[in-house]
């Protein structure tokens, strides 16, 4: 059974840092293209970052470039999102997801329709 469980969300002040984790079961993160998404109240789900299977290079939406880093630990079958210099605009529910594709395609990796399996989300709140 495929399962993704996010953790690490919290309430922090602007400028702070958080590390989100996504522990999966039923498949291997090492063999999967994975993504992080977020959704703020009243807004559409937004692609934050993607990492292709077998690779280490991450793709990021412009608003988080230089502040967020996606990574994975194959030994723990987990995906991570290190978030530094957080801004109030980063406040959202954050989700990890497994892509239907083998790589992070430019122009489409940030579309939620490209992902088949989702976690339940973890809340990040950043106050000014």
């Amino acid at each position: 059974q495929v399962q993704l469980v996010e953790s690490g969300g919290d309430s922090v002040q602007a400028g702070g840092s958080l590390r989100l984790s996504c522990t999966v079961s039923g498949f291997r993160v090492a063999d999967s293209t994975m993504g992080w998404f977020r959704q703020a109240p009243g807004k559409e789900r937004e692609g934050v970052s993607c990492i292709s299977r077998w690779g280490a290079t991450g793709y990021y939406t412009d608003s988080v470039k230089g502040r967020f880093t996606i990574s994975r630990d194959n030994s723990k079958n987990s995906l991570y999102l290190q978030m530094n210099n957080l801004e109030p605009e980063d406040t959202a529910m954050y989700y990890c997801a497994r892509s239907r594709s083998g790589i992070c395609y430019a122009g489409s990796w940030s579309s939620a329709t490209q992902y088949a399996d989702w976690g339940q989300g973890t809340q990040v709140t950043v106050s000014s």
Side-chain angles (χ1 to χ4, degrees):
Q1 181 180 359
V2 171
Q3 191 172 17
L4 299 86
V5 180
E6 301 94 336
S7 61
D10 204 346
S11 295
V12 298
Q13 290 191 328
S17 298
L18 285 173
R19 187 191 192 210
L20 305 184
S21 299
C22 173
T23 302
V24 313
S25 57
F27 69 96
R28 288 166 26 110
V29 291
D31 299 331
S32 304
T33 293
M34 302 291 296
W36 283 100
F37 284 73
R38 65 186 180 187
Q39 188 166 20
K43 294 188 176 181
E44 292 187 357
R45 192 164 294 193
E46 173 190 27
V48 175
S49 184
C50 179
I51 185 167
S52 296
R53 66 181 180 182
W54 307 323
T57 301
Y59 294 78
Y60 303 92
T61 191
D62 286 345
S63 63
V64 308
K65 285 180 181 176
R67 301 188 297 122
F68 291 10
T69 303
I70 191 171
S71 64
R72 60 172 155 231
D73 186 332
N74 295 336
S75 66
K76 296 182 179 180
N77 211 25
S78 295
L79 180 74
Y80 302 99
L81 186 68
Q82 178 66 44
M83 306 187 296
N84 298 328
N85 194 21
L86 283 160
E87 303 170 352
E89 293 73 21
D90 297 318
T91 295
M93 185 73 77
Y94 283 71
Y95 302 87
C96 66
R98 180 173 67 155
S99 176
R100 306 174 193 274
S101 303
I103 61 173
C104 304
Y105 287 101
S108 66
W109 68 262
S110 59
S111 171
T113 59
Q114 295 294 313
Y115 296 79
D117 301 298
W118 295 81
Q120 84 292 344
T122 186
Q123 178 67 39
V124 172
T125 303
V126 184
S127 59
S128 58

